Amino acid sequence: MAQMEVVVVMVACLAFLRKVESPALRISCDPGEFPYSGTCCKSCPAGTHVEEYCTFLNTSTKCKSCTDGESYTEFNNGLHRCLLCTECKPGYKMIAPCTRKKDTECQCSDGYFCPPGCEECVKCKTRCPEGQVIMESCNATTDMKCGPPYPEASAALFTWVWIIPVSLILVPLVVWIIYKWSKSNSVMKKENEESTDHLIPDGNENVNSTIEGTAVSQDRLPETAERENLEMDNREQDLPNRPSVSSSLRVVCSSGQSSGRNDVQSSNKPAARIKTSHMETLENAYFQIKDMVGSDYWNKLMRKCGLSDNDIDNIKHDNALHFDEQHHQMLKTLRDRNGIVAAFHKIFAGLEEMNLYGIYENIINELKHKDLIIKETED
């Protein structure tokens, strides 16, 4: 009986030691293998998953195939189940179905685009800014591109046809004029010197007056030129300082609680006054912003509108696998801190500062379509 108790105690100790030490055990497996329960198991190929893991006595892994149209694995793996196929979200259309080895391929629907690396489709611009025309239509990966009515080729042609030939004519002409002027001055100076040398003076007074007259005639041109240069410098100093275009367009949206009109009035974009009589419609339009701003610009826009890096990191951590919910929570935080109207204007100002005028105009058009704009005026 005592021996049985000793055996039981030893088994319990070994089990306890194994339980304590097993988490610290690290196994380095070869490529094509994965660690499991203290050993290395062979990975299952793409299109399958692990049905039964290997053991110490049996190093082979039993794999099971995924289901076409339902689940997939794209690479060699040690997963205990296949990944579920992606369903195309609203705004997307399917261009390739899900197979056992490849997930569903989705593409933006007509009227939306998604740049490489983006997470959500963005609505295409509907029109170009005033004075510009459509240079390239919106497609699945690129927004509509606008430009001046005259293409760059015309500008280059204008340069080659007019500016360069005129420059080739004017530059030699200016050089020739300067050369002739310098030569004329040197000839006149030489003639004055020769005429002074051949004068027959009646006395010291005549000689002195002749020399003084010659000196005055020779010095008049430099004095006149110097006086004219001084007057031009004074005129240039009297000109008023003109603000640069970039300073007139600079908007800092994170600096206060200014009204919506003041937020957008600092640029050439239209100012909008938002109705608050239909708050439910306004709330829906506010949270639709996450579907209109590309993920490439999202975090930067939120920082410009007052959210700190800590705010953004906490929201991402709480919603790690759901980008749509992350964006929703950031908008909700911005609204709770500032009120919905002020949050709208912070977003407008941030888009202007980032030069995202196409997205800005899409949001304005959406608010106008839902009758949430009181008035729109051009600055």
Side-chain angles (χ1 to χ4, degrees):
M1 195 68 177
Q3 292 180 349
M4 287 292 295
E5 291 178 354
V6 172
V7 170
V8 170
V9 170
M10 291 180 64
V11 170
C13 291
L14 289 174
F16 176 76
L17 291 174
R18 181 181 180 184
K19 182 177 180 182
V20 172
E21 294 179 358
S22 58
L25 184 63
R26 294 182 179 270
I27 299 176
S28 177
C29 297
D30 295 333
E33 297 179 340
F34 65 93
Y36 177 75
S37 188
T39 188
C40 291
C41 297
K42 292 182 179 180
S43 300
C44 289
T48 65
H49 71 94
V50 176
E51 184 177 21
E52 292 183 8
Y53 290 98
C54 67
T55 63
F56 287 103
L57 300 177
N58 179 17
T59 58
S60 62
T61 304
K62 187 176 180 181
C63 302
K64 184 177 181 180
S65 176
C66 302
T67 304
D68 279 325
E70 295 182 5
S71 59
Y72 75 98
T73 54
E74 195 168 349
F75 307 102
N76 292 349
N77 65 91
L79 301 175
H80 69 281
R81 68 180 63 176
C82 295
L83 303 175
L84 293 178
C85 295
T86 300
E87 293 184 5
C88 295
K89 297 185 292 185
Y92 289 79
K93 60 183 179 181
M94 184 174 67
I95 60 173
C98 181
T99 65
R100 292 185 299 107
K101 296 184 179 181
K102 194 172 183 181
D103 194 11
T104 311
E105 291 187 32
C106 302
Q107 180 176 288
C108 294
S109 301
D110 296 339
Y112 291 81
F113 76 99
C114 183
C118 77
E119 297 172 0
E120 295 182 1
C121 288
V122 181
K123 192 172 182 179
C124 297
K125 287 191 294 189
T126 56
R127 59 187 177 89
C128 289
E130 185 177 354
Q132 295 189 3
V133 296
I134 298 175
M135 305 297 292
E136 184 178 334
S137 299
C138 181
N139 56 47
T141 59
T142 307
D143 195 7
M144 181 175 68
K145 294 182 180 179
C146 302
Y150 302 101
E152 295 179 359
S154 298
L157 183 63
F158 177 80
T159 301
W160 281 101
V161 172
W162 290 103
I163 296 179
I164 294 178
V166 171
S167 300
L168 292 176
I169 295 173
L170 287 180
V171 171
L173 181 60
V174 171
V175 173
W176 180 79
I177 290 173
I178 294 174
Y179 170 76
K180 294 295 290 184
W181 180 77
S182 301
K183 186 174 181 181
S184 176
N185 281 347
S186 63
V187 171
M188 289 176 62
K189 184 176 181 180
K190 185 175 181 180
E191 289 177 351
N192 288 335
E193 290 176 353
E194 290 178 353
S195 62
T196 303
D197 292 340
H198 290 87
L199 286 175
I200 302 175
D202 292 334
N204 292 333
E205 183 178 355
N206 292 335
V207 172
N208 291 336
S209 61
T210 303
I211 296 174
E212 289 175 359
T214 305
V216 169
S217 64
Q218 292 175 354
D219 294 337
R220 183 177 292 113
L221 181 60
E223 288 175 357
T224 303
E226 182 177 358
R227 184 167 59 255
E228 291 175 352
N229 291 335
L230 181 59
E231 291 175 355
M232 291 179 64
D233 292 341
N234 291 334
R235 286 198 298 271
E236 292 176 356
Q237 292 175 359
D238 292 338
L239 289 175
N241 294 327
R242 299 178 180 177
S244 65
V245 175
S246 60
S247 65
S248 67
L249 290 175
R250 188 176 295 114
V251 179
V252 181
C253 75
S254 60
S255 61
Q257 302 287 337
S258 60
S259 67
R261 182 168 181 80
N262 291 334
D263 284 345
V264 296
Q265 211 170 19
S266 58
S267 76
N268 293 327
K269 303 301 296 178
R273 295 177 59 195
I274 300 174
K275 291 183 180 180
T276 57
S277 55
H278 304 289
M279 287 303 296
E280 183 177 354
T281 306
L282 188 60
E283 289 270 347
N284 292 336
Y286 174 74
F287 286 105
Q288 283 179 0
I289 292 175
K290 63 184 174 61
D291 300 323
M292 304 173 74
V293 179
S295 298
D296 291 343
Y297 317 119
W298 185 262
N299 290 345
K300 182 177 179 181
L301 176 62
M302 290 295 101
R303 292 188 187 96
K304 288 186 177 294
C305 293
L307 295 188
S308 66
D309 289 337
N310 190 46
D311 294 331
I312 295 173
D313 290 342
N314 287 338
I315 292 173
K316 285 184 173 181
H317 180 268
D318 295 338
N319 305 274
L321 300 179
H322 304 284
F323 294 106
D324 189 73
E325 184 62 23
Q326 291 176 11
H327 297 175
H328 181 90
Q329 291 300 324
M330 291 181 198
L331 286 173
K332 183 175 182 296
T333 302
L334 187 63
R335 180 204 63 184
D336 293 344
R337 291 181 181 176
N338 302 277
I340 191 166
V341 174
F344 260 115
H345 290 303
K346 283 179 176 288
I347 290 171
F348 291 156
L351 291 171
E352 285 188 311
E353 187 176 352
M354 295 166 67
N355 296 324
L356 300 177
Y357 295 122
I359 300 174
Y360 174 97
E361 291 175 357
N362 287 340
I363 297 174
I364 290 290
N365 290 336
E366 196 68 25
L367 293 177
K368 288 168 64 178
H369 177 71
K370 296 180 182 296
D371 193 25
L372 295 172
I373 296 288
I374 295 178
K375 162 172 90 166
E376 183 176 2
T377 59
E378 291 292 333
D379 290 338

